[in-house]
Each structure stands twice: as C-alpha cells, then as structure tokens.
Amino acid sequence: MDPYDMLNAVAVWLAGRTATAPGADLPPAKALVYLTGHGLLAKNGEKVSVACRKYDPGVLLNEGTVTPAQFVEKFVENAVGVVDEILLVLDFCMSGQGVTATMEQALREWVLKGEKLKLWVVGSTHGVDPAEQLEFVTAFVGAVDEAPDSAEHIGIPWLREKIKAGGHSVEAMPTAEAGDGEVLPNPAHMPAEGPTWLTGEWERWSAPARGLASGERTGWFFTGRDDAMAAVTAVLDADGSDRRPRLVTGRPGSGKSALLGRVAIAGVAGGELPLIARSGPLPPPGSVHAALRLRDQWSVRDIARRLGEQLGIEVNRPAALLDALARRDSPVGVVLDDIDRCAQPAELVGELVRPLTAIPSVRLVMSSRAPWVPGLEDVHVVDLDHRYRAGNDELARYLFTRVTRARGAPLANHDARHSAQRLAEALAPQCLATFGIAAEVAKGLVTPGAHQRWPSDPLASGRKRVTEVVLDLFVDVLSSLGGAARSLVNPLRLWPREWLPESLWLQLSALSGTGGEPTSADVGRAAAAVPSLLVSREVDGEVWWRLRNEPPELDWPSDEVVGLLLAAVPEEGGEKCWDRAHPHLIRLLVRWITAPGCTELRTLLRSGGFIVSVPPTGATTDFATYDEELRIRTTVWRAVHAGAMDLPTRRLLADLLLAWAGLPRHGTATSARASLDWAVPLAAESAVVTTIAVHGNVMATAHDDASVRLWVSADPEPPRVGAIERYRMLAGAVAVPRSGRRTVAVGWRDGRVSLLSDDGCVELLGRRGRLRADSLVFATDTTVAFLNEGRLWAVDVDTAEERLTWAPTTRRLDRVAAGPTTGPPSLVVCTRSGDVLVRDAVRDTTIGVLHRMGDAVTALAVSPSGRTVVVLGATGNLFVHGEGSSLRLHRTVRHPVRVAVSDRLLCVAEIGTPSTLVVHSLADLEAPVLDLMLPEEPAAVAFRDDDSLVLSVVGGLAQITFLGDKEGSDE
C-alpha cells in the first residue's frame, strides 16, 4: 500500500475498535504493521519510490512524507486498552537506509513514544544497495517458515536471531511493557491436543477429521481434497446453497469419514481450527448443528434420538424429529457418516434421510460406501473413487506432512526435509489413491528408523516403485536412440495395462511427439535395445506392443489426450469417419472422454455421427455424476449400442430417445426402410399412455391417470392435444371412426361409455360392468359396438339408443374389432375358447369363421382398412389373416406384448429386459424391416395407415413411416 493509505487504514481501524470495544466486549487485538521501501528504484539519476511518495531517508521527520514515528503515534493516541500487542517491522528504506547509528537513535525514540504500549519495533540496518533485491523480506519470511512447530507464536528475539543468522543486519527493541512478543502466529505450530470443543458423540469425529490412522491421538494432518470439500461445503452456505443433499461415496479408505469429519468439527458452533488446519475450503462457522458417525447396531429410532439430542429436540421416533425440523426457519446442518452401515439401511433412507431432504431448512451431508443409494436419486454425488479421486500429489503432501510434523518423527527436523519429500513422492503411488492406506503407511513411518526400511521392505511398502524405474529406463533408452524414437513413450501410457497395435502406436507417436514420425524400424530398435522391457504379440496379423511392467498413466490433461486421439480419426469432407478408425483407437478415445475432468464428451455426444457409430466400450466413469443433459446423452449413447442393431436403426433409436428426453434430434433419421416423422416427450402430468386409437389424422390416447386425450394431428408436424376428458376410473378402451370424424368413443373401466369430441364429452351409457382395452370399436360412423359380460352390444352415438346384438349361450365373447371398410359393415369377434368370427354389423349375423386358435386369444389387432387381422394365442403363436391368405410368424412371441398390423406390416412390441419393437413385412415374415431394442417399455402401438406406426413409451409418443419397395413391387 501507499504509506499514506496505510497510515489512514491504521487510524480508521483503531477508531473503529475504540468505538465498538466498550459495548461489544471485544478482546484486545494484536497488530502487525510491515513498512517497506523495497520499491525504491534508480531512474535518470534520481531515486523514485513506487510507493507513490518520495521519501528522504536522511530526514526522519520530513514535511509531506510518512515516517515510522507517525504509525507509533497513532497507536499511542488510540491503542491503549484496545490493542494488546504491536509489532512494527521496518524494511530497508523505511528504517533509516542502513545508517546504524541513525537507526538505533530512531528505535529508541519510537520506543519511548510507545512506552505505555506492548510494542516491538524490528528494523533492518542493512545497506540500501540490496533493497531492490528483496533480501530483507526474503529473510523475514524464511525465518517465519523455520519456526519450531512446538511454539504457538514466533518470539521476536528468536526471529531477530534467525534473521541475523542468515547474514542480515537487523535490530529489535521492545518497550518496557513488551514481553517476548506473541503477535506473529506460527503457521507450522502443531497443537498437541485435539479439538477441545468436541464432547459426546462429537468426539468420534476428532481422529478422522485430523487425518489420523486408527489408534492415533495427536496431530492435525488433514491434507488436500479442496475440490471435494468445496462441493460438500457449498450446501451449508445459507445464502448461496442449492440445497441439494451431498452424498460422499467411495470405497473403504477413500477418505469419506475424514472429509465429513472436517466439515463437522469446523462447522460446529464454537469450533476454531488451529492455523495449521485452516487451509482449503471450510464450512461457514456454526453451519453444522448435528453430526453422527453411524454404527452397525443403531436402529433408525436410535439415530433419530441421537440427532434430536444434538439439536436440542427430545424425540424417540423419526416422525417427531421431522416435524420439529419442519417448523424451523433457519438452516440446520446435519452430517451423517456411513448411512449404509445402519442396521436398517432401507428403513433409514425411507423413514428419515429422504424426508430430511424434503425439509427446506435442512442442509444434509452424508456418506456411503455404495456408489448409489436406492431412494436417494436427487442428490449431488461427491464420488471419491472417480471424479474426486485422491491424486498422488495429495497423498505425497499428506505423507510429507506426517513424516515432518509429527512429534518425535525421524524426519521432523528441517535438515531432513529433502529426504522426506523424496520418500513421500516414492510412496504415494503405492497407496493406490487411498488415504486410508496412506494413513497406515504414515503411522509406521513416524517410528524411529522406519523411513530407512519402507522403500526396500516389500512387506511394509506393499509394492515397489518398479513402474517408475521401468519408465525412466525406457525413456533413457529412447533418448539414446535419438531421432523420432523419443516420441514412442507417451502412447504406451494412454492405457498402461492394455496392448497397443503397432500401426496405431506409430500414428499416435507422430501426433504426440516433436521428433518427427517414427517407423517400424524405430520400434524394432527400441525392442532390441531393451528386450526385457518391451514385449509384443501378434493379433490378426498385426503386431501389438506394451511395456512388461505397467507404467504410470499419461499425466496430460484429459482434453489434451482426447485432442490427440481425435486427430488420429480419419476425416472426409470435414466429417469424422468413425467406421474407418482403428477399433483400439475408438476404445482409447472412449476411455479418455469418460475420464474425470474431460469436457469433450458433451461435444462429441452432440454429434449424431459419434453417438451412433462409437460404442461406449471402455467407459471409465460413473455417468450418474454428470449433469442432467449429459446423463441423458450418455443414456442414449449406451441404449443405441445395447443390441446388435445396424447403423440406420441406431440413428432412428438415437433420434427417438433424444426427442423423448426433450433434446434436439441429430437430424431426420431416414433409411431405405423407415423414417422418423416426429417424436415428442409426454409431460410428466400426462402420465403413461395405455391405449392408442388412430385412423388417418384422428388419434386418441388413454392414460393411466384416468384421462383420455383427442389429438390434433397434421403430418408431418407432431400432434398436439385438442380435447381432454378426466374421470374417476381408468379408460379401458378407446376407438375412433374410420370416416375421419374427430370423435373418440371411450369405455371406462366401470362400464360407462362416453363420446369425446372437440366440443366436449357426453355420456352414451351409464355403468354396465368392466370393459377391457380391446372390447370397444366403431362398427359404423354412428354406431359403437362393445362387449359387456361376454355379450355384444351396440349404441347409436347420435341417439344413445342401445341394443343387444348377440348373446351366445355356449360361447363367451372376449374381444371385438372393426372389419373391412369395403362391403357391408362387419366386426371381428373373439371368443374365450379361441374362435375368431366375422359378424355382419347390420344384420347381426355370423358370416364366417376366420380362425380357430385352440387356446385363449391374448391379442387381437386389425389393420386400418380392416382387411388384415392378427391373432395372438396364450402360447405365443401369432397368425396373420389377410384376404385369401393366412400366415404364421416363424417364432414364438414373448408375453407381455403389444401388437399392431396394417395391410403391409406387422408390429410386435415385446415387454421385458430388454424390450423390443420388431416390424415385419407381410411379404416376408422371416427378415424384420426394423428391429429396435428399447430402453423403455413400449406402452402402446397402432398403425395410422398402411405405412405409419404410432408408438408410445412411458415418456413419449412417436410416428415412424416405413417406406415402400424401391423396386416398385409394392405401391
């Protein structure tokens, strides 16, 4: 700061303390003021200060300048009773510019001015020439860094002698009231005691929160994890919290309890971490109100009672705790460690944890060994095994802190720090990214002589640093070979345990190196030079290579590696030719784009060519940690490659799934066989479609929320809802007339029949018993036929007059559909025994037997023209009857199933794991026209006409049009 600005800042601060101290009961403060003149530079023969004020050091009190005495006077005037101790440090120029006699005189004068204060004045008496080289400030900071960690504060006499020992002239004078000086806190101080503010259950957090292994009691060693801490503590910020509960996951030893423990002891009211433990993100003070480390034998009631005790709420059951918290307005921070260790984990989630997430005032932080907890889907997962995985640098810092700062450790002295650093870096990779292992390693290292034994003792170290040695040796060999051979090393580290084909190895080496393009001859020379390190094998006529000992993985940023791999993919016309890329290159690419920290995955998944051409084989991450859009795209990515679907089918499925998720389609999914006309998501309030009735541009759907919708449809645009009817019962059947009249007949499950149009809904019949989904149909444009209690009825839609048209005595009617549109109106009727009959809808007579199944009919479908009928039996046998023909599907159909038929096509949608939608041409039932593997269950299918199929799943509607024969044998 400019010296004037600093003087003003000190005056303002002192005035503020003086004004607030009497009423606020503030403890006396400690003050350190560091005045420097190291910005004095020689320019054109004159000395110019970058501190914005020209200061003549030969005159101690020069009008228009700032002197150290003015700072002392400010404290004398205002600091008594307000500031307990003061340390004034004067750098070169501000301390008399190295004139020792003047400096000593000035010190005495300033000390006399502040005789009523506990004041230390420390000033440099060094010459002015080295001022520009920052020698004094370097010596000052170096002395602070070397302070013994046993001292909570750095004594001024010790500091003075330490600076002098470094060859710098310095003087320090105290007032009579001053002691050794406790203004400077020691950043290296390691308190012997733990957090004294913890009592009861809170004490169980003490050891893990300080980074201690089992059985250890002293020290503060928590290290790193800044990203994870920031992600966790954000929920405890009352002002900026997104309120999403935090779930910290990871395998045993990954550091879950340490992370939550640090949050607990730093966030509890009254908690004040020592200086050595304050680095990195911390929760706001007082933001944690309850924190439990769960035990195996605790029941849900035990946990609720203990939380209540910490929150000051007397409860004995979860519901009472939830009620009490729901009445609180201010945020309540709750920390629960190992929720999967409860005696009743499912009950804990259902009865306590999930309800807690719904309370606006609760800020919840949890941990679990499982990467996913059923019932807790809408949480922010902090995955310590993947995205927030411990790095070797963090583990090395932790080990270094342990072996240098633990009391009595063999490497605790400053002279051994270099050895300690080397040891920590050597052991960090052996800890397998696990702080639990590192803690146990460190516990052994602090015993006398342990640091000499660990690197060589296989029983103690776990595994040796062979990988680093092998890599270093291989790099040295390649360097000795010279030329392009030096670039061969990095591709072998892209996937260390995997073999690499030679052609791809050379290509990636040329792209990643700076020494030209290596050849097979360079590979041969490297293999001959180190035959014990580099091994090969032949796969499909090509040589593949790898290092015998797995090297460390390439430490480049993920996006940089992905850029290298993408550069190796062939291109044509500016587009990537994924089908021409080496299969192992694709596997490498998938591995790296799904690695934590990679940002390229989103860009690639927005590319239609990538998502349908590149299978997600080798993915290395848990997609659940991604944001919503990326989770959807990765779900689509996996779905389109889940079965042996060809490329056009994968394109169609990708566009379907993206549109159903509300994301833009990649383009019109069209092949020589089928095209996707439209696909729309169904809003959550629309519920699931259970039945579709469609003919031409008239479409109606029944939903499982007891509603029926009449859609406005005008190809090629997606449909929109025109009219809606809701009832207290589900709709069992819907039907639309073939004339194009915008009307839908609805048979409700209680037997009521309604007529829905754009003008509204009218009731045709009252309750008559249960109607099934396929037991109602338009016999003519003005007559609705339906089955009730095994008998066939008809009702006039204009007059609402009903009549019984068939009441067989030996048969029980089961299903009804409309017959052909040509000729007199007719109906196709099934009996319980499996007979399929044709009835004249005008004369009410049976005019023929279409099929005798031999077992119960489970599905009946008729084409839009009525000329083609599909009958499915309970045993899975499916028959197609057309004009003058009868076909049988070559395979057995799996139930449950949805079927639809046109005069050209047959659709069979089987529900299961997986669900499939198969469309056959009636001209050839052997080879499917379309074979889709759906990630969601098909809810309903229906043909709009001979070529267009309407499909519904849980979250969407779509229309697929199947193209005619290109050779002209069809229409």
Side-chain angles (χ1 to χ4, degrees):
M1 298 176 77
D2 179 287
Y4 277 110
D5 294 339
M6 182 179 285
L7 182 63
N8 183 59
V10 168
V12 170
W13 177 72
L14 285 170
R17 296 285 298 192
T18 303
T20 58
D25 195 25
L26 295 175
K30 302 179 186 296
L32 169 105
V33 180
Y34 189 108
L35 297 176
T36 179
H38 66 73
L40 194 66
L41 303 174
K43 183 178 181 181
N44 300 327
E46 294 184 1
K47 292 181 178 178
V48 180
S49 173
V50 297
C52 305
R53 295 291 185 276
K54 187 175 181 180
Y55 172 59
D56 183 358
V59 181
L60 294 179
L61 184 58
N62 189 21
E63 186 176 354
T65 63
V66 177
T67 68
Q70 291 173 269
F71 284 86
V72 177
E73 289 169 356
K74 288 293 182 186
F75 283 105
V76 170
E77 293 169 2
N78 300 284
V80 177
V82 175
V83 180
D84 185 40
E85 291 189 77
I86 306 163
L87 172 60
L88 181 63
V89 183
L90 309 174
D91 206 333
F92 293 107
C93 298
M94 295 300 292
S95 61
Q97 208 167 345
V99 182
T100 305
T102 306
M103 176 62 187
E104 292 175 351
Q105 179 183 350
L107 286 174
R108 291 191 188 95
E109 178 183 344
W110 298 334
V111 167
L112 286 174
K113 285 179 179 289
E115 61 182 354
K116 294 182 180 181
L117 303 172
K118 293 181 180 179
L119 169 68
W120 273 92
V121 180
V122 177
S124 167
T125 58
H126 207 290
V128 71
D129 291 337
E132 300 165 16
Q133 301 173 21
L134 309 181
E135 288 190 7
F136 180 79
V137 69
T138 302
F140 181 86
V141 173
V144 170
D145 284 345
E146 292 187 21
D149 58 15
S150 59
E152 185 175 357
H153 296 87
I154 299 175
I156 307 304
W158 179 92
L159 180 68
R160 175 186 59 196
E161 296 307 315
K162 197 67 179 176
I163 295 175
K164 282 185 175 181
H168 299 275
S169 300
V170 63
E171 289 295 333
M173 290 188 179
T175 61
E177 299 293 324
D180 286 343
E182 291 186 352
V183 176
L184 271 178
N186 182 4
H189 173 58
M190 181 67 71
E193 68 280 357
T196 56
W197 59 89
L198 301 181
T199 59
E201 284 289 340
W202 291 92
E203 289 183 313
R204 299 188 65 229
W205 292 104
S206 178
R210 292 181 285 140
L212 299 177
S214 57
E216 294 184 304
R217 294 289 180 268
T218 60
W220 297 75
F221 302 111
F222 187 97
T223 308
R225 287 292 165 88
D226 287 357
D227 290 346
M229 279 293 295
V232 170
T233 55
V235 74
L236 298 171
D237 185 350
D239 296 327
S241 171
D242 62 5
R243 281 207 62 249
R244 283 185 68 196
R246 269 31 178 195
L247 178 64
V248 181
T249 65
R251 62 186 182 277
S254 58
K256 303 183 299 298
S257 296
L259 198 71
L260 266 64
R262 183 165 171 82
V263 171
I265 72 169
V268 65
E272 184 176 0
L273 302 181
L275 190 61
I276 197 172
R278 293 183 197 172
S279 62
L282 291 171
S287 60
V288 177
H289 305 85
L292 291 178
R293 298 188 67 196
L294 272 57
R295 305 182 190 182
D296 294 336
Q297 67 272 24
W298 284 0
S299 67
V300 180
R301 281 177 173 264
D302 293 333
I303 296 168
R305 178 176 54 79
R306 285 176 164 84
L307 285 175
E309 290 173 355
Q310 293 185 350
L311 294 169
I313 306 171
E314 187 174 347
V315 296
N316 57 7
R317 55 190 179 86
L321 176 65
L322 296 170
D323 290 343
L325 289 175
R327 291 191 295 270
R328 293 197 177 186
D329 296 327
S330 58
V332 179
V334 178
V335 178
L336 296 175
D337 190 24
D338 285 336
I339 60 173
D340 56 334
R341 292 190 61 180
C342 168
Q344 305 157 313
E347 290 80 357
L348 174 64
V349 172
E351 297 177 19
L352 184 60
V353 175
R354 189 166 58 229
L356 281 174
T357 66
I359 298 177
S361 62
V362 173
R363 305 291 190 264
L364 188 59
V365 178
M366 306 163 286
S367 76
S368 168
R369 291 167 294 183
W372 177 75
V373 177
L376 294 179
E377 288 76 18
D378 189 25
V379 296
H380 183 122
V381 177
V382 180
D383 186 354
L384 301 185
D385 287 342
H386 297 94
R387 182 177 179 182
Y388 297 96
R389 187 170 182 257
N392 285 338
D393 55 340
E394 288 182 305
L395 293 168
R397 288 200 305 273
Y398 172 75
L399 291 168
F400 176 78
T401 302
R402 294 297 310 268
V403 300
T404 57
R405 291 188 170 175
R407 293 181 181 274
L411 300 179
N413 62 82
H414 288 281
D415 296 335
R417 283 197 170 191
H418 182 66
S419 299
Q421 185 66 42
R422 290 179 58 191
L423 178 62
E425 291 174 354
L427 292 176
Q430 300 174 19
C431 296
L432 306 179
T434 304
F435 270 101
I437 296 176
E440 295 299 327
V441 169
K443 185 167 67 172
L445 282 173
V446 297
T447 60
H451 63 291
Q452 299 173 355
R453 183 181 73 249
W454 273 73
S456 59
D457 184 354
L459 296 177
S461 63
R463 63 188 184 105
K464 300 178 181 179
R465 292 181 58 229
V466 177
T467 57
E468 289 85 357
V469 174
V470 169
L471 183 62
D472 291 342
L473 179 57
F474 186 61
V475 170
D476 291 340
V477 169
L478 294 180
S479 298
S480 67
L481 294 176
R486 290 177 297 178
S487 63
L488 289 171
V489 63
N490 286 333
L492 293 174
R493 299 174 61 192
L494 290 171
W495 201 337
R497 65 172 61 91
E498 291 287 319
W499 296 83
L500 189 65
E502 183 173 300
S503 60
L504 183 58
W505 185 13
L506 294 174
Q507 183 184 12
L508 294 175
S509 298
L511 291 170
S512 64
T514 57
E517 298 184 5
T519 64
S520 295
D522 293 318
V523 174
R525 288 193 300 143
V530 282
S532 61
L533 301 184
L534 198 60
V535 292
S536 65
R537 69 178 183 181
E538 188 171 311
V539 179
D540 296 331
E542 183 176 18
V543 180
W544 291 52
W545 299 86
R546 59 170 280 185
L547 287 172
R548 186 182 301 276
N549 296 93
E550 180 182 330
E553 189 174 86
L554 193 62
D555 53 0
W556 293 1
S558 298
D559 288 347
E560 190 173 341
V561 174
V562 170
L564 166 67
L565 298 173
L566 287 174
V569 178
E571 288 189 11
E572 185 174 325
E575 296 291 330
K576 295 290 184 184
C577 302
W578 301 106
D579 57 334
R580 287 163 47 193
H582 197 291
H584 192 69
L585 172 63
I586 296 298
R587 292 183 66 225
L588 281 171
L589 179 63
V590 171
R591 182 179 190 270
W592 279 94
I593 61 174
T594 56
C598 182
T599 61
E600 285 295 321
L601 179 60
R602 188 187 307 274
T603 302
L604 289 171
L605 289 179
R606 287 175 176 170
S607 162
F610 176 87
I611 201 170
V612 299
S613 302
V614 177
T617 307
T620 59
T621 191
D622 179 9
F623 296 132
T625 61
Y626 290 158
D627 60 63
E628 183 178 4
E629 182 200 349
L630 201 50
R631 283 200 305 271
I632 292 171
R633 292 189 182 277
T634 52
T635 300
V636 173
W637 185 27
R638 288 183 292 183
V640 298
H641 294 280
M645 294 177 282
D646 59 16
L647 183 59
T649 304
R650 293 199 298 271
R651 286 198 185 104
L652 179 65
L653 181 57
D655 273 3
L656 266 176
L657 299 180
L658 288 171
W660 283 339
L663 295 177
R665 291 161 50 181
H666 290 142
T668 303
T670 303
S671 69
R673 296 169 297 177
S675 67
L676 177 61
D677 298 331
W678 49 260
V680 293
L682 289 177
E685 63 270 14
S686 298
V688 179
V689 173
T690 56
T691 308
I692 297 175
V694 59
H695 192 88
N697 286 333
V698 181
M699 183 173 73
T701 54
H703 299 253
D704 66 356
D705 63 346
S707 68
V708 173
R709 287 161 168 76
L710 178 60
W711 297 78
V712 177
S713 180
D715 287 337
E717 297 298 321
R720 56 184 176 83
V721 176
I724 301 177
E725 174 65 5
R726 299 184 186 275
Y727 186 53
R728 64 177 181 271
M729 299 292 292
L730 294 176
V734 292
V736 297
R738 290 171 171 172
S739 63
R741 178 181 176 184
R742 288 189 49 75
T743 304
V744 54
V746 185
W748 304 96
R749 288 290 174 90
D750 61 357
R752 177 174 172 260
V753 178
S754 302
L755 199 65
L756 175 65
S757 67
D758 293 329
D759 296 327
C761 186
V762 296
E763 181 177 293
L764 293 180
L765 296 174
R767 295 179 58 185
R768 300 180 60 85
R770 185 179 179 85
L771 285 172
R772 277 219 319 268
D774 47 357
S775 61
L776 177 145
V777 68
F778 271 90
T780 67
D781 195 34
T782 59
T783 304
V784 174
F786 63 95
L787 296 179
N788 186 268
E789 297 179 349
R791 295 182 295 176
L792 183 62
W793 296 75
V795 60
D796 190 292
V797 299
D798 295 326
T799 64
E801 293 180 1
E802 62 172 315
R803 59 190 177 89
L804 178 64
T805 63
W806 192 18
T809 57
T810 59
R811 296 168 172 162
R812 189 170 180 84
L813 306 184
D814 195 45
R815 300 168 191 273
V816 63
T821 55
T822 58
S826 62
L827 298 172
V828 179
V829 185
C830 291
T831 68
R832 287 281 177 88
S833 60
D835 293 339
V836 182
L837 311 172
V838 181
R839 292 274 296 179
D840 188 318
V842 176
R843 298 178 179 178
D844 297 334
T845 59
T846 301
I847 58 178
V849 178
L850 184 66
H851 185 83
R852 294 193 184 277
M853 178 62 69
D855 61 353
V857 175
T858 57
L860 172 69
V862 177
S863 66
S865 71
R867 295 194 299 267
T868 307
V869 179
V870 167
V871 183
L872 175 64
T875 57
N877 295 317
L878 186 146
F879 298 87
V880 182
H881 298 277
E883 292 182 335
S885 66
S886 180
L887 304 172
R888 178 177 175 178
L889 190 64
H890 65 282
R891 63 184 178 87
T892 300
V893 175
R894 181 186 67 207
H895 288 80
V897 65
R898 309 284 185 262
V899 295
V901 70
S902 75
D903 291 338
R904 287 186 55 232
L905 303 164
L906 167 67
C907 174
V908 179
E910 295 173 287
I911 300 172
T913 308
S915 294
T916 60
L917 184 139
V918 182
V919 178
H920 299 268
S921 169
L922 296 185
D924 181 10
L925 288 180
E926 295 293 327
V929 176
L930 180 67
D931 192 349
L932 275 181
M933 185 176 292
L934 294 171
E936 296 185 83
E937 293 183 359
V941 291
F943 277 96
R944 180 185 295 276
D945 49 38
D946 277 351
D947 307 312
S948 300
L949 175 72
V950 178
L951 162 69
S952 171
V953 297
V954 171
L957 274 171
Q959 179 174 295
I960 303 170
T961 293
F962 296 86
L963 309 180
D965 186 272
K966 294 291 185 180
E967 300 301 322
S969 60
D970 248 317
E971 67 270 13

